[in-house]
Amino acid sequence: MKKKERDEYNKTYGLYKFKRPLPSEIESAMGLVGESILFKKLISADYERFYDPIKMPEEGDWLMTHKEYGQTYNEYIQKGCLQVDKDRNIIYIVRLFNSNDDDLIKDEFFQYIIGLLEAFFSGMKIALIDVENNYINDNDNNDNDNENENENENNENKENNENNENNNNENNNNNENNNNENNNNDKNNENNNNENNNDENNENNENKQQFTGKMPINADLILEKLKEDVPENAFCLFGLIDTDLYTETLLPNGKRLIKATYGKRSIQDRVSIFSFARFDPFFNFNVKEKSLSKEQRFKIYLILLKRICSAITREICYMFGMKNCIFLSCCMNGTSGAEFDSKQIELCPICLRKLITNISAKGYDIKNYRVKNPMVVYDRFVKMRDALENFSGLYENEVNWFNARIDFLKTLI
Ligand SMILES: [Zn+2]
């Protein structure tokens, strides 16, 4: 390869030289061997016409900086799959709000989200719980309450924000994981190891970089509290919060590493906390909500709503043991900040196959690797179309896609 081509290649495909899977690899990843003919059709018929290939990474994209191997259906079944138990089939959404200004976050907002989740995880129950904000008030914010004024560090914030996004989809082991382990460890370590600074300055610098303008709270403390409240019949309990979060780690040198995070999850304990504070387009700017026009506020509302819908579906899929997808364009593709708004809401056939195994658990013959009622796939498509139609035009393209897919599948049934 000539230098010019090599440079271009490096620029385009990044550190890990991501290659799109071949059609044979995609089909193999679906793991449809043994399934009924109808199920195979509903999952995969003409998939190349309906599902876009995964986008080749560009600078700043997730796959530019992360090595992803993908998780085939068989790998999922053998390792990560968490099936819905008939006694534990409710997804609890816990609404944890610190903000007094509830103008943007109304019940209507959650009606949209719950409606989508009921379709996406068709067959499972979704329950919304409001928790008094004692979760939040009990938190110790003292370490971070003194650096909320500086407006000149938006770039650094942006960088951290993207780093967080980049890590949004990593680490789905059954251990506790930050949802968004930061890539800026090195940077923080550098700060921490800089002996010219005293501890206080170090912490202040980190806080400046990560939390400018916002009062963050400790994700670990909230997660611990949520663990105590997981109902017996919960498949999982998902805390959604409008306040920025951080995690804190004690380093071997005795110093504290404070990292901004979107959230944290413990699959083992069936619990997750997720903050959408950084989804706010004005997160990095100290803009007062009241200074915005009605149109601007509505625009933010829609952006937030769409970002939360993408994040919450993906996060709950992680609770099922699903991992990042590299096979086709999919809601489970790893995502960096810049990619987030172009993310699609639906799963590719491979990830859908994984989800169907879970949500049709009672109708799944594990011994023979066979879904007993293949029509759950078709029914879910219809429910997704109906749910997205309720978003008043926000998902117009997606509704059209579901209609086309449904019309096509009708001819095969
Ligand atoms: Zn996928």
Side-chain angles (χ1 to χ4, degrees), residues 338-366:
E339 295 169 285
F340 203 85
D341 287 330
S342 58
K343 198 173 187 66
Q344 70 176 55
I345 195 77
E346 177 58 331
L347 297 164
C348 77
I350 293 137
C351 298
L352 178 59
R353 167 96 170 99
K354 295 173 192 172
L355 183 69
I356 292 294
T357 302
N358 286 307
I359 62 180
S360 62
K362 280 188 283 183
Y364 190 74
D365 179 354
I366 292 183

mmCIF file of all heavy atoms in Angstrom, residues 338-366:
data_model
loop_
_atom_site.group_PDB
_atom_site.id
_atom_site.type_symbol
_atom_site.label_atom_id
_atom_site.label_comp_id
_atom_site.label_asym_id
_atom_site.label_seq_id
_atom_site.Cartn_x
_atom_site.Cartn_y
_atom_site.Cartn_z
ATOM 1 N N ALA A 338 -20.678 12.212 18.757
ATOM 2 C CA ALA A 338 -21.111 12.751 17.471
ATOM 3 C C ALA A 338 -22.094 11.830 16.768
ATOM 4 O O ALA A 338 -22.896 12.272 15.953
ATOM 5 C CB ALA A 338 -19.889 12.980 16.588
ATOM 6 N N GLU A 339 -22.043 10.552 17.075
ATOM 7 C CA GLU A 339 -22.900 9.578 16.385
ATOM 8 C C GLU A 339 -24.284 9.462 17.023
ATOM 9 O O GLU A 339 -25.177 8.872 16.435
ATOM 10 C CB GLU A 339 -22.252 8.188 16.432
ATOM 11 C CG GLU A 339 -20.960 8.074 15.680
ATOM 12 C CD GLU A 339 -20.258 6.764 15.998
ATOM 13 O OE1 GLU A 339 -19.683 6.652 17.091
ATOM 14 O OE2 GLU A 339 -20.294 5.863 15.151
ATOM 15 N N PHE A 340 -24.404 10.005 18.203
ATOM 16 C CA PHE A 340 -25.576 9.672 18.997
ATOM 17 C C PHE A 340 -26.901 10.025 18.323
ATOM 18 O O PHE A 340 -27.842 9.249 18.337
ATOM 19 C CB PHE A 340 -25.487 10.328 20.369
ATOM 20 C CG PHE A 340 -26.314 9.605 21.368
ATOM 21 C CD1 PHE A 340 -25.804 8.507 22.033
ATOM 22 C CD2 PHE A 340 -27.622 9.975 21.603
ATOM 23 C CE1 PHE A 340 -26.572 7.791 22.924
ATOM 24 C CE2 PHE A 340 -28.404 9.277 22.495
ATOM 25 C CZ PHE A 340 -27.872 8.179 23.154
ATOM 26 N N ASP A 341 -26.954 11.207 17.719
ATOM 27 C CA ASP A 341 -28.240 11.650 17.183
ATOM 28 C C ASP A 341 -28.630 10.941 15.897
ATOM 29 O O ASP A 341 -29.775 11.024 15.457
ATOM 30 C CB ASP A 341 -28.224 13.163 16.963
ATOM 31 C CG ASP A 341 -28.289 13.900 18.297
ATOM 32 O OD1 ASP A 341 -28.898 13.350 19.236
ATOM 33 O OD2 ASP A 341 -27.730 14.992 18.400
ATOM 34 N N SER A 342 -27.673 10.259 15.269
ATOM 35 C CA SER A 342 -28.027 9.536 14.042
ATOM 36 C C SER A 342 -28.305 8.062 14.332
ATOM 37 O O SER A 342 -28.543 7.265 13.437
ATOM 38 C CB SER A 342 -26.901 9.658 13.013
ATOM 39 O OG SER A 342 -25.704 9.156 13.555
ATOM 40 N N LYS A 343 -28.277 7.727 15.585
ATOM 41 C CA LYS A 343 -28.470 6.327 15.969
ATOM 42 C C LYS A 343 -29.887 5.870 15.692
ATOM 43 O O LYS A 343 -30.840 6.603 15.890
ATOM 44 C CB LYS A 343 -28.198 6.221 17.455
ATOM 45 C CG LYS A 343 -27.940 4.831 17.933
ATOM 46 C CD LYS A 343 -27.509 4.896 19.374
ATOM 47 C CE LYS A 343 -27.061 3.539 19.856
ATOM 48 N NZ LYS A 343 -25.860 3.100 19.194
ATOM 49 N N GLN A 344 -30.023 4.641 15.228
ATOM 50 C CA GLN A 344 -31.378 4.167 14.956
ATOM 51 C C GLN A 344 -31.997 3.550 16.209
ATOM 52 O O GLN A 344 -31.292 3.138 17.122
ATOM 53 C CB GLN A 344 -31.391 3.196 13.798
ATOM 54 C CG GLN A 344 -30.756 1.846 14.064
ATOM 55 C CD GLN A 344 -30.932 0.941 12.864
ATOM 56 O OE1 GLN A 344 -30.566 1.287 11.760
ATOM 57 N NE2 GLN A 344 -31.518 -0.223 13.083
ATOM 58 N N ILE A 345 -33.290 3.503 16.214
ATOM 59 C CA ILE A 345 -33.997 3.069 17.418
ATOM 60 C C ILE A 345 -34.214 1.552 17.438
ATOM 61 O O ILE A 345 -34.411 0.963 18.485
ATOM 62 C CB ILE A 345 -35.359 3.814 17.548
ATOM 63 C CG1 ILE A 345 -35.966 3.673 18.942
ATOM 64 C CG2 ILE A 345 -36.343 3.364 16.478
ATOM 65 C CD1 ILE A 345 -35.337 4.541 19.975
ATOM 66 N N GLU A 346 -34.127 0.922 16.278
ATOM 67 C CA GLU A 346 -34.460 -0.503 16.211
ATOM 68 C C GLU A 346 -33.206 -1.377 16.203
ATOM 69 O O GLU A 346 -32.108 -0.939 15.849
ATOM 70 C CB GLU A 346 -35.314 -0.773 14.950
ATOM 71 C CG GLU A 346 -35.686 -2.226 14.677
ATOM 72 C CD GLU A 346 -36.452 -2.930 15.797
ATOM 73 O OE1 GLU A 346 -36.289 -2.601 16.968
ATOM 74 O OE2 GLU A 346 -37.217 -3.857 15.474
ATOM 75 N N LEU A 347 -33.412 -2.628 16.596
ATOM 76 C CA LEU A 347 -32.326 -3.604 16.617
ATOM 77 C C LEU A 347 -32.147 -4.238 15.249
ATOM 78 O O LEU A 347 -33.113 -4.384 14.479
ATOM 79 C CB LEU A 347 -32.667 -4.713 17.624
ATOM 80 C CG LEU A 347 -32.814 -4.301 19.087
ATOM 81 C CD1 LEU A 347 -33.527 -5.397 19.868
ATOM 82 C CD2 LEU A 347 -31.456 -3.998 19.704
ATOM 83 N N CYS A 348 -30.929 -4.662 14.955
ATOM 84 C CA CYS A 348 -30.684 -5.429 13.732
ATOM 85 C C CYS A 348 -31.212 -6.856 13.954
ATOM 86 O O CYS A 348 -31.565 -7.220 15.080
ATOM 87 C CB CYS A 348 -29.188 -5.432 13.417
ATOM 88 S SG CYS A 348 -28.249 -6.566 14.448
ATOM 89 N N PRO A 349 -31.272 -7.686 12.919
ATOM 90 C CA PRO A 349 -31.825 -9.040 13.092
ATOM 91 C C PRO A 349 -31.082 -9.878 14.141
ATOM 92 O O PRO A 349 -31.705 -10.670 14.841
ATOM 93 C CB PRO A 349 -31.668 -9.665 11.701
ATOM 94 C CG PRO A 349 -31.633 -8.524 10.760
ATOM 95 C CD PRO A 349 -30.965 -7.403 11.507
ATOM 96 N N ILE A 350 -29.777 -9.670 14.255
ATOM 97 C CA ILE A 350 -29.016 -10.478 15.224
ATOM 98 C C ILE A 350 -29.410 -10.098 16.654
ATOM 99 O O ILE A 350 -29.675 -10.958 17.495
ATOM 100 C CB ILE A 350 -27.496 -10.292 15.003
ATOM 101 C CG1 ILE A 350 -27.125 -10.893 13.643
ATOM 102 C CG2 ILE A 350 -26.677 -10.921 16.108
ATOM 103 C CD1 ILE A 350 -26.199 -10.083 12.830
ATOM 104 N N CYS A 351 -29.451 -8.804 16.908
ATOM 105 C CA CYS A 351 -29.802 -8.352 18.260
ATOM 106 C C CYS A 351 -31.283 -8.588 18.548
ATOM 107 O O CYS A 351 -31.660 -8.897 19.679
ATOM 108 C CB CYS A 351 -29.415 -6.884 18.436
ATOM 109 S SG CYS A 351 -27.641 -6.625 18.267
ATOM 110 N N LEU A 352 -32.104 -8.463 17.515
ATOM 111 C CA LEU A 352 -33.530 -8.751 17.700
ATOM 112 C C LEU A 352 -33.714 -10.227 18.080
ATOM 113 O O LEU A 352 -34.509 -10.558 18.955
ATOM 114 C CB LEU A 352 -34.298 -8.430 16.407
ATOM 115 C CG LEU A 352 -35.791 -8.717 16.431
ATOM 116 C CD1 LEU A 352 -36.492 -7.932 17.533
ATOM 117 C CD2 LEU A 352 -36.428 -8.386 15.075
ATOM 118 N N ARG A 353 -32.949 -11.053 17.422
ATOM 119 C CA ARG A 353 -32.980 -12.495 17.728
ATOM 120 C C ARG A 353 -32.649 -12.743 19.204
ATOM 121 O O ARG A 353 -33.277 -13.545 19.870
ATOM 122 C CB ARG A 353 -31.960 -13.185 16.816
ATOM 123 C CG ARG A 353 -31.602 -14.605 17.153
ATOM 124 C CD ARG A 353 -32.438 -15.534 16.323
ATOM 125 N NE ARG A 353 -31.988 -16.910 16.437
ATOM 126 C CZ ARG A 353 -32.568 -17.797 17.248
ATOM 127 N NH1 ARG A 353 -33.557 -17.443 18.016
ATOM 128 N NH2 ARG A 353 -32.156 -19.042 17.265
ATOM 129 N N LYS A 354 -31.654 -12.019 19.696
ATOM 130 C CA LYS A 354 -31.282 -12.154 21.118
ATOM 131 C C LYS A 354 -32.427 -11.696 22.021
ATOM 132 O O LYS A 354 -32.775 -12.354 23.000
ATOM 133 C CB LYS A 354 -30.029 -11.310 21.423
ATOM 134 C CG LYS A 354 -28.763 -11.760 20.720
ATOM 135 C CD LYS A 354 -27.651 -10.745 20.981
ATOM 136 C CE LYS A 354 -26.469 -10.967 20.078
ATOM 137 N NZ LYS A 354 -25.465 -9.887 20.187
ATOM 138 N N LEU A 355 -32.987 -10.561 21.663
ATOM 139 C CA LEU A 355 -34.053 -10.011 22.508
ATOM 140 C C LEU A 355 -35.277 -10.926 22.522
ATOM 141 O O LEU A 355 -35.877 -11.152 23.577
ATOM 142 C CB LEU A 355 -34.455 -8.618 22.004
ATOM 143 C CG LEU A 355 -35.515 -7.925 22.848
ATOM 144 C CD1 LEU A 355 -34.961 -7.534 24.219
ATOM 145 C CD2 LEU A 355 -36.062 -6.686 22.155
ATOM 146 N N ILE A 356 -35.612 -11.449 21.344
ATOM 147 C CA ILE A 356 -36.797 -12.313 21.265
ATOM 148 C C ILE A 356 -36.625 -13.534 22.155
ATOM 149 O O ILE A 356 -37.577 -14.004 22.795
ATOM 150 C CB ILE A 356 -37.051 -12.738 19.790
ATOM 151 C CG1 ILE A 356 -37.476 -11.528 18.952
ATOM 152 C CG2 ILE A 356 -38.083 -13.857 19.701
ATOM 153 C CD1 ILE A 356 -38.812 -10.918 19.322
ATOM 154 N N THR A 357 -35.418 -14.048 22.230
ATOM 155 C CA THR A 357 -35.153 -15.186 23.119
ATOM 156 C C THR A 357 -35.520 -14.834 24.552
ATOM 157 O O THR A 357 -36.021 -15.673 25.293
ATOM 158 C CB THR A 357 -33.650 -15.562 23.061
ATOM 159 O OG1 THR A 357 -33.321 -15.855 21.713
ATOM 160 C CG2 THR A 357 -33.347 -16.759 23.927
ATOM 161 N N ASN A 358 -35.289 -13.589 24.920
ATOM 162 C CA ASN A 358 -35.617 -13.160 26.281
ATOM 163 C C ASN A 358 -37.090 -12.880 26.474
ATOM 164 O O ASN A 358 -37.724 -13.414 27.368
ATOM 165 C CB ASN A 358 -34.835 -11.885 26.617
ATOM 166 C CG ASN A 358 -33.390 -12.183 26.860
ATOM 167 O OD1 ASN A 358 -33.062 -13.037 27.673
ATOM 168 N ND2 ASN A 358 -32.534 -11.507 26.146
ATOM 169 N N ILE A 359 -37.605 -12.037 25.614
ATOM 170 C CA ILE A 359 -38.958 -11.557 25.902
ATOM 171 C C ILE A 359 -40.022 -12.597 25.588
ATOM 172 O O ILE A 359 -41.159 -12.460 26.015
ATOM 173 C CB ILE A 359 -39.279 -10.222 25.184
ATOM 174 C CG1 ILE A 359 -39.223 -10.365 23.669
ATOM 175 C CG2 ILE A 359 -38.361 -9.120 25.656
ATOM 176 C CD1 ILE A 359 -39.527 -9.073 22.927
ATOM 177 N N SER A 360 -39.647 -13.638 24.863
ATOM 178 C CA SER A 360 -40.607 -14.722 24.651
ATOM 179 C C SER A 360 -40.174 -15.927 25.476
ATOM 180 O O SER A 360 -40.384 -17.063 25.092
ATOM 181 C CB SER A 360 -40.690 -15.084 23.176
ATOM 182 O OG SER A 360 -39.433 -15.554 22.731
ATOM 183 N N ALA A 361 -39.528 -15.650 26.627
ATOM 184 C CA ALA A 361 -38.916 -16.724 27.414
ATOM 185 C C ALA A 361 -39.865 -17.893 27.663
ATOM 186 O O ALA A 361 -39.479 -19.042 27.546
ATOM 187 C CB ALA A 361 -38.425 -16.155 28.741
ATOM 188 N N LYS A 362 -41.103 -17.568 27.993
ATOM 189 C CA LYS A 362 -42.027 -18.664 28.290
ATOM 190 C C LYS A 362 -42.327 -19.479 27.045
ATOM 191 O O LYS A 362 -42.694 -20.627 27.120
ATOM 192 C CB LYS A 362 -43.321 -18.095 28.876
ATOM 193 C CG LYS A 362 -43.168 -17.749 30.354
ATOM 194 C CD LYS A 362 -44.491 -17.378 30.971
ATOM 195 C CE LYS A 362 -44.872 -15.958 30.573
ATOM 196 N NZ LYS A 362 -46.109 -15.495 31.185
ATOM 197 N N GLY A 363 -42.141 -18.805 25.910
ATOM 198 C CA GLY A 363 -42.426 -19.501 24.659
ATOM 199 C C GLY A 363 -41.175 -19.967 23.946
ATOM 200 O O GLY A 363 -41.165 -20.132 22.741
ATOM 201 N N TYR A 364 -40.116 -20.140 24.717
ATOM 202 C CA TYR A 364 -38.851 -20.537 24.084
ATOM 203 C C TYR A 364 -38.466 -21.933 24.540
ATOM 204 O O TYR A 364 -38.404 -22.219 25.730
ATOM 205 C CB TYR A 364 -37.747 -19.540 24.451
ATOM 206 C CG TYR A 364 -36.497 -19.742 23.644
ATOM 207 C CD1 TYR A 364 -36.438 -19.359 22.309
ATOM 208 C CD2 TYR A 364 -35.370 -20.338 24.208
ATOM 209 C CE1 TYR A 364 -35.295 -19.551 21.565
ATOM 210 C CE2 TYR A 364 -34.227 -20.520 23.462
ATOM 211 C CZ TYR A 364 -34.194 -20.131 22.145
ATOM 212 O OH TYR A 364 -33.062 -20.323 21.402
ATOM 213 N N ASP A 365 -38.233 -22.789 23.590
ATOM 214 C CA ASP A 365 -37.845 -24.163 23.885
ATOM 215 C C ASP A 365 -36.318 -24.223 23.924
ATOM 216 O O ASP A 365 -35.666 -24.361 22.893
ATOM 217 C CB ASP A 365 -38.423 -25.070 22.785
ATOM 218 C CG ASP A 365 -38.043 -26.517 23.009
ATOM 219 O OD1 ASP A 365 -37.261 -26.776 23.941
ATOM 220 O OD2 ASP A 365 -38.516 -27.362 22.254
ATOM 221 N N ILE A 366 -35.770 -24.079 25.113
ATOM 222 C CA ILE A 366 -34.317 -23.978 25.244
ATOM 223 C C ILE A 366 -33.627 -25.243 24.746
ATOM 224 O O ILE A 366 -32.592 -25.186 24.082
ATOM 225 C CB ILE A 366 -33.931 -23.691 26.711
ATOM 226 C CG1 ILE A 366 -34.397 -22.284 27.072
ATOM 227 C CG2 ILE A 366 -32.427 -23.827 26.934
ATOM 228 C CD1 ILE A 366 -34.033 -21.814 28.432
#
